[in-house]
Amino acid sequence: MTSPDPLSRRERLAALFVLGVAVVLVLSSPTWFGSDRAGVGIAQVVVGVVLAGVGAFLLRRSRAR
């Protein structure tokens, strides 16, 4: 078995990092809703969903190589 392409490995790690940030943002958003700052909570969920999409795209791209 050969070692993976260094660029693919970097892309995979970047994708996993972005997905991790997305998960943290989405899971911590209820804190804002609980403190009567729904606008911040909604914005955090939206950014989390966008980052999850970017992370999924990067992960799929890294596996296509």
Side-chain angles (χ1 to χ4, degrees), residues 10-47:
R10 257 188 248 126
E11 284 180 350
R12 190 177 124 264
L13 289 175
L16 292 175
F17 176 74
V18 171
L19 284 171
V21 170
V23 166
V24 168
L25 284 173
V26 170
L27 291 180
S28 66
S29 64
T31 304
W32 294 108
F33 292 110
S35 64
D36 293 332
R37 294 184 135 194
V40 176
I42 291 170
Q44 191 168 340
V45 168
V46 169
V47 171

Side-chain angles (χ1 to χ4, degrees), residues 1-9 65:
M1 183 172 158
T2 62
S3 63
D5 178 26
L7 185 59
S8 291
R9 185 167 189 263
R65 288 182 179 235

